[in-house]
Each structure stands twice: as structure tokens, then as C-alpha cells.
Amino acid sequence: MDVSLGIPTVRASTAGDSHEAAAALHAGARDATRAELDQRAGDAPTAPGLLDRHGRLGTDLRISLTDKCNLRCTYCMPADGMDWMPPPSLLTASEVVRLVDIAVAVHGVRDLRLTGGEPLIRPDLEDIIAGVRSSHPDLPIAITTNGIGLTRRAASLAAAGLTRLNVSLDTIDADTFRALARRDRLADVLAGIDAALAADLHPVKVNAVLMRGENDDQAPELLAFALERGLDLRFIEQMPLDGDHGWTREGMVTAREVRELLSQHWRLVPDDVPRGGAPAELWRVLPLDTDPDSDTDSGPDSDPDSDSGPGRGSGPVADPDAAPGSRTDAAEPLGRVGVIASVTEPFCSACTRTRITADGKVRSCLFSHEEFDLASAMRSGESDDVVARMWQQAMWLKPAAHGMDRPGLDSVDYVQPDRTMSAIGG
């Protein structure tokens, strides 16, 4: 079995396979994976926990439920021609619940996010959430979704035990949405956000990717929309995981540019909540005319020659009348905004994430070129202890950053993985 470089070749059995043939297939995959892990990660600690060689502990679990999506966002998927995972290869609801049980009970995982593709495509999503919730009443459970279908399911997801969700929304302009998502579904997404709020799924976070020349000028409009509705907005730098392999460093809108765009309309103040291993750097959003000398204010990017991240200072200033956000008392923040700078301000050294693909492979790093098969181990009858040890060994091999020994998504050394974002899981 090839456990490296993209989507593994071993799949679950088709409908025509016998039970014996399927069992043999999974046993072969299991044995190959175990041999690989024993050879390369036999020195992994045996104490519980998903520790890697760089001292990071995996406590944030992300499980993808499908590679399919009902949108075709340009920064994620090609317009057509996707080679979908065979349905039998996808983790079943019971397998997802089992993996979560192992992660929490054995390895001390403290947070779960269900991703895709689009997780709402799974008709058994409520069953998965309810199954996890019944065993882990205090575990935070989130999903990342495009919001299409939330109008019908937000209430049932909340009843099943969903804690919170992130909705991908790059624009509130219908024409721009149609161009970016290649589908005319903005009204459905906005209705889904309203349904999530009505179901009391708080906080509702919004993820936005800015594309140069397409929606980068709409960043202030999007933040005003989020502030008005009490949403937590996160701007994410476009990463080189697109299906068309068209990403360029020059075409990407950087975190610094995002902060500068927003600072023309609001004053951004570094949030005082410790970031920890969170991917987003948070900023409190205040009216533009907030006293720059107050002890609560230190705006972004005070050094115009620095490209190393947020600094201290007042930030760019513009006419307060230009601000699209509503004005309140200067002492009261209007809300918060986050910026996830995976490319230009990487945070790999603090990463706490461990990922499982929709076909049951451990992917220790979003940008990794290798992954290890847990699904075949479960399907060939291995115990929880064996699966837990394989998972532990796979995480021990986690690369330092961006699938390499150092950060560098914009370097000549970076090679984009064969799997696209939709096939990896966010």
C-alpha cells in the first residue's frame, strides 16, 4: 500500500466484493500501515497523547465527513472533473464516533470539528453528532459549512448536540458570490446563517477568503455585515491547496493588506484573550475616532516597513464618515475580527490540530504529503488500543511546518499536495 503522496490507492470494498475479499483488503492495508509506522515511528512515546517530535500536542480533532460540496469555490475546487471518493470508502457514522471516543478517552482531545467538503451533504450528520454527544457531554462540537441546508437542519443539529459552527462566506454581493462559488446560492447561505442564529448556535463564525481583483475591495462591507448581526468574522489567506493549482504569492491578499483595508474604516485593537494554538489572530473592532492614546488602543501594523505581522500603533486613519459600520461609544468595541495568516505569518509552532480524512486517514498536517490508514485497521478488527497507537505514531511524524521542516508556503521548496482542500478537510 502506498501511504504517501496524495490519496491512497487502497479503498473499501465495492458492492460486488465478498466479505472475505474486503476483510483481506483491509488487513493488507492495515499490515502495510503498521509496518510503515513501526519502522519510522517506533520511538513514539507510549504515554497517552498525540505528541509530535517538535513538542506539540494534538488536542484539536478535525474529521472530514465527505469530499463532496454543492459549491465550486475557485480557491478550493475545479469547476468540474472532480474524482470523488467511492462511497464505501467514507467513514461510517459509527466509525466517526469510535474515532472520537479513542481521541478523547485515550489521547485527551478537547475539541472536535466536523468538516468536508460540505458536511451537510451527509444525511446522518445529526446521528454522528448525537452519538458523540451521548458519550462526551462536555466536548465542544463544531462544523465548518457553506450554510446551504442550514435552514432545514440548524434546529435538529442543535438538538443533536452541535455547539457552534463556521459558515464560509466570501462576499454578500450576489454577482461576486456567483463568480467565486460558481453557483447562485448566496440567498441560501444568508438564510442558513439566520437559521443558525435562531437555533442559538453561538457563536456563529464566518470564514472569508479574499481574492485579488474579485472581492478584496468588499472586506469592509463584509465586516459591517458581521458586526451588525453579531457574527465573528475570520479572514483567511488563500492557501495553495486549490483544485486548479493556480495559486500564486503575488495574487494572494495578505493578512497585512486585510488589516490595512479594515483600518480605513475602524480602529483595530489586539484582543486581550490569549491566542494559544488558535489559527486566528483576533482584533477588537472600535469606531475609527477612538482615542489613539487610550490604554486600550494599539492598532495594527504600525511599522510601514515591516511584513512580519501585527505591531503597535494607531494604524491608518480615514474619514469617520466613510466607515460602513455603525458608531457606538468609543469605549465599547463593536465586535471582533480575526485574521488567519497561514502563508505570511505562519503559526505552525503552536499547532494543536490532528486531522482524519473522510476515508479514515490520519493527516498530521494540512499540507502533508503522507497519511496513514486508520479505517482499514478498524475494518479489519483491530482493537481501540491498536488504533490509538497507530494514530499516536502517525502524529509523531508530523512535519515542522507546511509539510516540510520549516514554514514556507510561498517558497520554492513548497510542493502542493495531491489532495485539494475539499479532499483533505479543513
Side-chain angles (χ1 to χ4, degrees):
M1 175 189 173
D2 179 10
V3 296
S4 64
L5 297 179
I7 301 177
T9 55
V10 174
R11 297 294 187 188
S13 62
T14 62
D17 290 332
S18 68
H19 177 76
E20 292 78 10
L25 181 69
H26 292 306
R30 172 205 62 194
D31 292 345
T33 303
R34 288 189 66 179
E36 173 84 1
L37 288 170
D38 286 341
Q39 179 184 20
R40 296 178 54 203
D43 60 339
T46 56
L50 297 174
L51 187 69
D52 66 44
R53 287 173 170 160
H54 306 281
R56 299 165 299 191
L57 189 63
T59 58
D60 178 358
L61 172 59
R62 303 193 175 194
I63 300 183
S64 177
L65 301 181
T66 179
D67 58 335
K68 292 183 178 180
C69 186
N70 38 23
L71 299 179
R72 292 292 182 275
C73 297
T74 57
Y75 54 79
C76 182
M77 301 172 71
D80 49 37
M82 288 292 291
D83 185 15
W84 305 117
M85 296 178 187
S89 74
L90 299 179
L91 291 169
T92 65
S94 61
E95 288 170 338
V96 172
V97 173
R98 182 182 174 190
L99 284 170
V100 176
D101 287 344
I102 294 170
V104 175
V106 178
H107 290 311
V109 161
R110 300 192 295 266
D111 211 317
L112 171 66
R113 178 171 296 276
L114 302 172
T115 70
E118 174 46 55
L120 289 179
I121 286 178
R122 289 281 297 247
D124 56 355
L125 179 56
E126 286 87 349
D127 296 332
I128 292 171
I129 293 170
V132 172
R133 179 59 68 214
S134 65
S135 299
H136 308 287
D138 299 321
L139 181 70
I141 304 175
I143 64 170
T144 297
T145 173
N146 61 28
I148 297 173
L150 276 178
T151 51
R152 300 187 306 275
R153 300 177 70 179
S156 61
L157 291 169
L162 184 66
T163 309
R164 61 183 187 274
L165 50 75
N166 288 42
V167 178
S168 298
L169 178 65
D170 306 312
T171 177
I172 55 172
D173 178 81
D175 292 336
T176 306
F177 185 96
R178 190 181 307 110
L180 285 174
R182 299 187 178 109
R183 299 289 188 274
D184 190 11
R185 305 296 298 272
L186 176 61
D188 296 319
V189 177
L190 297 180
I193 291 174
D194 289 341
L197 292 171
D200 203 28
L201 288 168
H202 294 295
V204 174
K205 298 180 181 179
V206 171
N207 297 340
V209 175
L210 296 183
M211 303 288 287
R212 193 174 303 282
E214 298 186 53
N215 67 332
D216 52 331
D217 61 334
Q218 299 174 28
E221 181 181 26
L222 195 55
L223 179 53
F225 169 86
L227 293 174
E228 181 180 331
R229 288 161 179 78
L231 308 172
D232 286 354
L233 178 61
R234 304 287 185 268
F235 288 102
I236 305 174
E237 286 184 338
Q238 183 199 3
M239 293 176 282
L241 291 170
D242 57 305
D244 290 325
H245 295 265
W247 182 94
T248 65
R249 172 63 171 80
E250 295 74 20
M252 182 195 70
V253 180
T254 68
R256 180 181 178 84
E257 291 176 277
V258 172
R259 293 189 296 263
E260 289 174 346
L261 283 167
L262 300 179
S263 293
Q264 295 174 20
H265 301 276
W266 294 276
R267 187 169 301 284
L268 303 184
V269 179
D271 195 70
D272 53 7
V273 176
R275 180 176 178 179
E281 177 132 22
L282 298 181
W283 304 85
R284 284 177 289 153
V285 182
L286 285 82
L288 190 63
D289 58 354
T290 303
D291 181 5
D293 296 323
S294 77
D295 58 9
T296 63
D297 178 63
S298 48
D301 308 313
S302 59
D303 180 3
D305 298 319
S306 170
D307 195 31
S308 61
R312 312 282 292 182
S314 61
V317 176
D319 182 355
D321 294 334
S326 58
R327 303 286 303 282
T328 67
D329 186 281
E332 182 68 25
L334 305 172
R336 296 192 304 180
V337 65
V339 183
I340 300 176
S342 301
V343 179
T344 62
E345 299 164 16
F347 40 87
C348 302
S349 63
C351 181
T352 59
R353 279 160 289 291
T354 179
R355 288 181 168 83
I356 304 291
T357 62
D359 51 351
K361 313 299 189 294
V362 178
R363 196 176 182 90
S364 61
C365 172
L366 184 62
F367 305 95
S368 184
H369 288 269
E370 62 182 3
E371 49 197 27
F372 297 92
D373 191 352
L374 295 188
S376 288
M378 293 192 295
R379 292 171 182 177
S380 60
E382 290 290 11
S383 67
D384 286 359
D385 288 342
V386 171
V387 174
R389 178 58 179 167
M390 292 173 65
W391 195 343
Q392 189 174 48
Q393 289 176 307
M395 289 300 295
W396 186 241
L397 300 175
K398 183 173 182 173
H402 293 162
M404 306 182 293
D405 60 1
R406 61 177 180 81
L409 289 180
D410 55 353
S411 72
V412 295
D413 299 330
Y414 174 74
V415 178
Q416 181 171 335
D418 287 350
R419 286 205 199 232
T420 62
M421 180 66 86
S422 65
I424 295 171

PDB file of all heavy atoms in Angstrom, residues 248-266:
ATOM      1  N   THR A 248      -0.831  31.815  -6.581  1.00  0.00           N
ATOM      2  CA  THR A 248       0.465  32.496  -6.637  1.00  0.00           C
ATOM      3  C   THR A 248       0.583  33.412  -5.434  1.00  0.00           C
ATOM      4  O   THR A 248      -0.419  33.950  -4.945  1.00  0.00           O
ATOM      5  CB  THR A 248       0.644  33.329  -7.915  1.00  0.00           C
ATOM      6  OG1 THR A 248      -0.307  34.398  -7.936  1.00  0.00           O
ATOM      7  CG2 THR A 248       0.491  32.472  -9.166  1.00  0.00           C
ATOM      8  N   ARG A 249       1.790  33.617  -4.971  1.00  0.00           N
ATOM      9  CA  ARG A 249       2.029  34.516  -3.839  1.00  0.00           C
ATOM     10  C   ARG A 249       1.623  35.935  -4.199  1.00  0.00           C
ATOM     11  O   ARG A 249       1.057  36.662  -3.377  1.00  0.00           O
ATOM     12  CB  ARG A 249       3.514  34.451  -3.443  1.00  0.00           C
ATOM     13  CG  ARG A 249       3.954  35.473  -2.403  1.00  0.00           C
ATOM     14  CD  ARG A 249       3.217  35.261  -1.068  1.00  0.00           C
ATOM     15  NE  ARG A 249       3.768  36.093  -0.019  1.00  0.00           N
ATOM     16  CZ  ARG A 249       3.488  37.390   0.146  1.00  0.00           C
ATOM     17  NH1 ARG A 249       2.649  37.975  -0.689  1.00  0.00           N
ATOM     18  NH2 ARG A 249       4.021  38.068   1.136  1.00  0.00           N
ATOM     19  N   GLU A 250       1.886  36.330  -5.430  1.00  0.00           N
ATOM     20  CA  GLU A 250       1.558  37.691  -5.852  1.00  0.00           C
ATOM     21  C   GLU A 250       0.048  37.910  -5.928  1.00  0.00           C
ATOM     22  O   GLU A 250      -0.449  39.018  -5.678  1.00  0.00           O
ATOM     23  CB  GLU A 250       2.191  37.991  -7.216  1.00  0.00           C
ATOM     24  CG  GLU A 250       3.712  38.002  -7.223  1.00  0.00           C
ATOM     25  CD  GLU A 250       4.315  36.596  -7.136  1.00  0.00           C
ATOM     26  OE1 GLU A 250       3.590  35.608  -7.455  1.00  0.00           O
ATOM     27  OE2 GLU A 250       5.486  36.487  -6.733  1.00  0.00           O
ATOM     28  N   GLY A 251      -0.696  36.884  -6.265  1.00  0.00           N
ATOM     29  CA  GLY A 251      -2.141  37.032  -6.393  1.00  0.00           C
ATOM     30  C   GLY A 251      -2.890  36.924  -5.085  1.00  0.00           C
ATOM     31  O   GLY A 251      -4.082  37.235  -5.025  1.00  0.00           O
ATOM     32  N   MET A 252      -2.208  36.520  -4.025  1.00  0.00           N
ATOM     33  CA  MET A 252      -2.854  36.332  -2.738  1.00  0.00           C
ATOM     34  C   MET A 252      -2.974  37.655  -1.990  1.00  0.00           C
ATOM     35  O   MET A 252      -2.045  38.465  -1.976  1.00  0.00           O
ATOM     36  CB  MET A 252      -2.026  35.355  -1.900  1.00  0.00           C
ATOM     37  CG  MET A 252      -2.619  35.039  -0.548  1.00  0.00           C
ATOM     38  SD  MET A 252      -1.396  34.251   0.526  1.00  0.00           S
ATOM     39  CE  MET A 252      -0.292  35.624   0.846  1.00  0.00           C
ATOM     40  N   VAL A 253      -4.119  37.890  -1.367  1.00  0.00           N
ATOM     41  CA  VAL A 253      -4.311  39.056  -0.499  1.00  0.00           C
ATOM     42  C   VAL A 253      -3.774  38.690   0.879  1.00  0.00           C
ATOM     43  O   VAL A 253      -4.248  37.747   1.517  1.00  0.00           O
ATOM     44  CB  VAL A 253      -5.803  39.444  -0.414  1.00  0.00           C
ATOM     45  CG1 VAL A 253      -5.983  40.661   0.494  1.00  0.00           C
ATOM     46  CG2 VAL A 253      -6.357  39.734  -1.804  1.00  0.00           C
ATOM     47  N   THR A 254      -2.777  39.423   1.356  1.00  0.00           N
ATOM     48  CA  THR A 254      -2.105  39.064   2.599  1.00  0.00           C
ATOM     49  C   THR A 254      -2.867  39.566   3.820  1.00  0.00           C
ATOM     50  O   THR A 254      -3.720  40.459   3.732  1.00  0.00           O
ATOM     51  CB  THR A 254      -0.694  39.660   2.639  1.00  0.00           C
ATOM     52  OG1 THR A 254      -0.781  41.091   2.736  1.00  0.00           O
ATOM     53  CG2 THR A 254       0.099  39.289   1.386  1.00  0.00           C
ATOM     54  N   ALA A 255      -2.520  39.009   4.958  1.00  0.00           N
ATOM     55  CA  ALA A 255      -3.119  39.449   6.218  1.00  0.00           C
ATOM     56  C   ALA A 255      -2.853  40.925   6.466  1.00  0.00           C
ATOM     57  O   ALA A 255      -3.724  41.647   6.956  1.00  0.00           O
ATOM     58  CB  ALA A 255      -2.561  38.613   7.366  1.00  0.00           C
ATOM     59  N   ARG A 256      -1.653  41.375   6.147  1.00  0.00           N
ATOM     60  CA  ARG A 256      -1.331  42.790   6.327  1.00  0.00           C
ATOM     61  C   ARG A 256      -2.255  43.683   5.492  1.00  0.00           C
ATOM     62  O   ARG A 256      -2.754  44.703   5.968  1.00  0.00           O
ATOM     63  CB  ARG A 256       0.128  43.036   5.942  1.00  0.00           C
ATOM     64  CG  ARG A 256       0.573  44.487   6.104  1.00  0.00           C
ATOM     65  CD  ARG A 256       2.024  44.659   5.677  1.00  0.00           C
ATOM     66  NE  ARG A 256       2.419  46.053   5.793  1.00  0.00           N
ATOM     67  CZ  ARG A 256       2.846  46.620   6.915  1.00  0.00           C
ATOM     68  NH1 ARG A 256       2.913  45.908   8.021  1.00  0.00           N
ATOM     69  NH2 ARG A 256       3.199  47.889   6.942  1.00  0.00           N
ATOM     70  N   GLU A 257      -2.509  43.263   4.258  1.00  0.00           N
ATOM     71  CA  GLU A 257      -3.417  44.033   3.406  1.00  0.00           C
ATOM     72  C   GLU A 257      -4.825  44.035   3.976  1.00  0.00           C
ATOM     73  O   GLU A 257      -5.526  45.055   3.909  1.00  0.00           O
ATOM     74  CB  GLU A 257      -3.409  43.451   1.992  1.00  0.00           C
ATOM     75  CG  GLU A 257      -2.122  43.656   1.225  1.00  0.00           C
ATOM     76  CD  GLU A 257      -2.156  42.977  -0.132  1.00  0.00           C
ATOM     77  OE1 GLU A 257      -1.879  41.769  -0.205  1.00  0.00           O
ATOM     78  OE2 GLU A 257      -2.483  43.658  -1.121  1.00  0.00           O
ATOM     79  N   VAL A 258      -5.267  42.911   4.498  1.00  0.00           N
ATOM     80  CA  VAL A 258      -6.603  42.839   5.098  1.00  0.00           C
ATOM     81  C   VAL A 258      -6.719  43.839   6.240  1.00  0.00           C
ATOM     82  O   VAL A 258      -7.689  44.606   6.334  1.00  0.00           O
ATOM     83  CB  VAL A 258      -6.906  41.418   5.602  1.00  0.00           C
ATOM     84  CG1 VAL A 258      -8.209  41.401   6.392  1.00  0.00           C
ATOM     85  CG2 VAL A 258      -6.977  40.435   4.434  1.00  0.00           C
ATOM     86  N   ARG A 259      -5.730  43.850   7.120  1.00  0.00           N
ATOM     87  CA  ARG A 259      -5.772  44.772   8.255  1.00  0.00           C
ATOM     88  C   ARG A 259      -5.766  46.228   7.787  1.00  0.00           C
ATOM     89  O   ARG A 259      -6.447  47.083   8.360  1.00  0.00           O
ATOM     90  CB  ARG A 259      -4.603  44.485   9.197  1.00  0.00           C
ATOM     91  CG  ARG A 259      -4.695  43.134   9.896  1.00  0.00           C
ATOM     92  CD  ARG A 259      -3.635  42.991  10.973  1.00  0.00           C
ATOM     93  NE  ARG A 259      -2.285  42.994  10.445  1.00  0.00           N
ATOM     94  CZ  ARG A 259      -1.562  41.905  10.186  1.00  0.00           C
ATOM     95  NH1 ARG A 259      -2.097  40.709  10.374  1.00  0.00           N
ATOM     96  NH2 ARG A 259      -0.329  41.999   9.748  1.00  0.00           N
ATOM     97  N   GLU A 260      -4.994  46.509   6.754  1.00  0.00           N
ATOM     98  CA  GLU A 260      -4.955  47.878   6.247  1.00  0.00           C
ATOM     99  C   GLU A 260      -6.289  48.293   5.633  1.00  0.00           C
ATOM    100  O   GLU A 260      -6.743  49.436   5.808  1.00  0.00           O
ATOM    101  CB  GLU A 260      -3.819  48.017   5.234  1.00  0.00           C
ATOM    102  CG  GLU A 260      -2.433  47.960   5.860  1.00  0.00           C
ATOM    103  CD  GLU A 260      -1.315  47.950   4.834  1.00  0.00           C
ATOM    104  OE1 GLU A 260      -1.619  47.711   3.637  1.00  0.00           O
ATOM    105  OE2 GLU A 260      -0.155  48.175   5.223  1.00  0.00           O
ATOM    106  N   LEU A 261      -6.935  47.373   4.925  1.00  0.00           N
ATOM    107  CA  LEU A 261      -8.246  47.662   4.354  1.00  0.00           C
ATOM    108  C   LEU A 261      -9.260  47.983   5.450  1.00  0.00           C
ATOM    109  O   LEU A 261     -10.021  48.958   5.354  1.00  0.00           O
ATOM    110  CB  LEU A 261      -8.735  46.467   3.535  1.00  0.00           C
ATOM    111  CG  LEU A 261      -8.140  46.246   2.145  1.00  0.00           C
ATOM    112  CD1 LEU A 261      -8.498  44.861   1.639  1.00  0.00           C
ATOM    113  CD2 LEU A 261      -8.645  47.320   1.186  1.00  0.00           C
ATOM    114  N   LEU A 262      -9.277  47.163   6.487  1.00  0.00           N
ATOM    115  CA  LEU A 262     -10.243  47.365   7.561  1.00  0.00           C
ATOM    116  C   LEU A 262      -9.928  48.609   8.379  1.00  0.00           C
ATOM    117  O   LEU A 262     -10.841  49.277   8.871  1.00  0.00           O
ATOM    118  CB  LEU A 262     -10.273  46.127   8.467  1.00  0.00           C
ATOM    119  CG  LEU A 262     -10.656  44.808   7.792  1.00  0.00           C
ATOM    120  CD1 LEU A 262     -10.618  43.667   8.809  1.00  0.00           C
ATOM    121  CD2 LEU A 262     -12.034  44.900   7.140  1.00  0.00           C
ATOM    122  N   SER A 263      -8.649  48.918   8.524  1.00  0.00           N
ATOM    123  CA  SER A 263      -8.246  50.059   9.349  1.00  0.00           C
ATOM    124  C   SER A 263      -8.568  51.397   8.702  1.00  0.00           C
ATOM    125  O   SER A 263      -8.419  52.440   9.330  1.00  0.00           O
ATOM    126  CB  SER A 263      -6.743  49.985   9.643  1.00  0.00           C
ATOM    127  OG  SER A 263      -6.455  48.875  10.461  1.00  0.00           O
ATOM    128  N   GLN A 264      -9.013  51.384   7.483  1.00  0.00           N
ATOM    129  CA  GLN A 264      -9.502  52.621   6.856  1.00  0.00           C
ATOM    130  C   GLN A 264     -10.904  52.971   7.345  1.00  0.00           C
ATOM    131  O   GLN A 264     -11.365  54.092   7.146  1.00  0.00           O
ATOM    132  CB  GLN A 264      -9.502  52.470   5.332  1.00  0.00           C
ATOM    133  CG  GLN A 264      -8.118  52.301   4.733  1.00  0.00           C
ATOM    134  CD  GLN A 264      -8.170  52.010   3.252  1.00  0.00           C
ATOM    135  OE1 GLN A 264      -9.173  52.294   2.588  1.00  0.00           O
ATOM    136  NE2 GLN A 264      -7.107  51.438   2.717  1.00  0.00           N
ATOM    137  N   HIS A 265     -11.563  52.023   8.010  1.00  0.00           N
ATOM    138  CA  HIS A 265     -12.948  52.227   8.445  1.00  0.00           C
ATOM    139  C   HIS A 265     -13.149  52.029   9.945  1.00  0.00           C
ATOM    140  O   HIS A 265     -14.131  52.541  10.495  1.00  0.00           O
ATOM    141  CB  HIS A 265     -13.870  51.266   7.693  1.00  0.00           C
ATOM    142  CG  HIS A 265     -13.826  51.422   6.206  1.00  0.00           C
ATOM    143  ND1 HIS A 265     -14.566  52.363   5.536  1.00  0.00           N
ATOM    144  CD2 HIS A 265     -13.093  50.783   5.269  1.00  0.00           C
ATOM    145  CE1 HIS A 265     -14.318  52.282   4.235  1.00  0.00           C
ATOM    146  NE2 HIS A 265     -13.425  51.322   4.046  1.00  0.00           N
ATOM    147  N   TRP A 266     -12.276  51.285  10.578  1.00  0.00           N
ATOM    148  CA  TRP A 266     -12.371  51.041  12.009  1.00  0.00           C
ATOM    149  C   TRP A 266     -10.973  51.101  12.618  1.00  0.00           C
ATOM    150  O   TRP A 266      -9.976  51.013  11.901  1.00  0.00           O
ATOM    151  CB  TRP A 266     -12.940  49.642  12.295  1.00  0.00           C
ATOM    152  CG  TRP A 266     -14.354  49.448  11.881  1.00  0.00           C
ATOM    153  CD1 TRP A 266     -15.484  49.763  12.570  1.00  0.00           C
ATOM    154  CD2 TRP A 266     -14.803  48.867  10.648  1.00  0.00           C
ATOM    155  NE1 TRP A 266     -16.605  49.418  11.859  1.00  0.00           N
ATOM    156  CE2 TRP A 266     -16.212  48.860  10.667  1.00  0.00           C
ATOM    157  CE3 TRP A 266     -14.161  48.348   9.521  1.00  0.00           C
ATOM    158  CZ2 TRP A 266     -16.985  48.354   9.624  1.00  0.00           C
ATOM    159  CZ3 TRP A 266     -14.913  47.852   8.487  1.00  0.00           C
ATOM    160  CH2 TRP A 266     -16.321  47.857   8.545  1.00  0.00           C
TER     161      TRP A 266
END
